[in-house]
Amino acid sequence: MDAGPALHGLMTAIDEKRWDDLAPYLHPDFVCRLVHTGESFDRDRWIRFNREYPGFEHLTVEDFVAEPTVAACRSHVTGRGEDGIEHFECASFAQLRDGLIVQLTEVWTDVDQQAPPGTRPDPQ
């Protein structure tokens, strides 16, 4: 399998909460690194992390690029938190080995964050 179908299939399975369908996309040596927290997960722990994540509702792939052995996407993710629906953006970068995703790097951020004061030019 090429990286594009592998990453897209993985994201679709997550959106549809088909947790048992994640493993066939992942290499036995799979590692996912979450840049924002510094955590790393092996295949089984990453599947469990997704399955048990509280409040997850929906994942929509909004941008997607792929080559045969690497793929990247930007997804909009919604979940239910204490204050109602929460919105996140996630950039995912996948690398394949033997037709399976062996490395996944994810960068998550809240939606509607404000830029720190003094980091943007004054509007004219």
Side-chain angles (χ1 to χ4, degrees):
M1 178 179 327
D2 281 349
L7 183 58
H8 199 274
L10 184 72
M11 293 298 151
T12 299
I14 291 170
D15 177 53
E16 295 173 357
K17 300 176 184 162
R18 293 184 286 113
W19 310 120
D20 292 337
D21 292 344
L22 300 185
Y25 293 103
L26 306 177
H27 194 278
D29 296 332
F30 172 83
V31 173
C32 177
R33 181 171 165 256
L34 303 181
V35 172
H36 58 293
T37 63
E39 296 171 286
S40 292
F41 297 89
D42 66 15
R43 182 171 77 173
D44 293 339
R45 284 187 62 230
W46 187 77
I47 292 170
R48 182 177 174 197
F49 172 73
N50 280 279
R51 177 186 289 121
E52 296 177 1
Y53 200 87
F56 170 74
E57 289 198 350
H58 192 58
L59 180 151
T60 303
V61 174
E62 296 189 341
D63 292 310
F64 196 89
V65 295
E67 293 289 332
T69 61
V70 295
C73 69
R74 181 178 60 85
S75 303
H76 182 85
V77 179
T78 56
R80 191 159 297 278
E82 292 179 11
D83 297 328
I85 298 294
E86 298 175 331
H87 297 267
F88 302 92
E89 296 292 322
C90 179
S92 302
F93 305 90
Q95 182 176 353
L96 260 64
R97 182 190 312 151
D98 304 325
L100 298 171
I101 300 171
V102 69
Q103 189 172 25
L104 184 67
T105 301
E106 295 186 338
V107 182
W108 287 80
T109 186
D110 293 333
V111 174
D112 296 328
Q113 291 185 10
Q114 297 297 315
T119 62
R120 303 297 184 269
D122 290 330
Q124 301 283 332

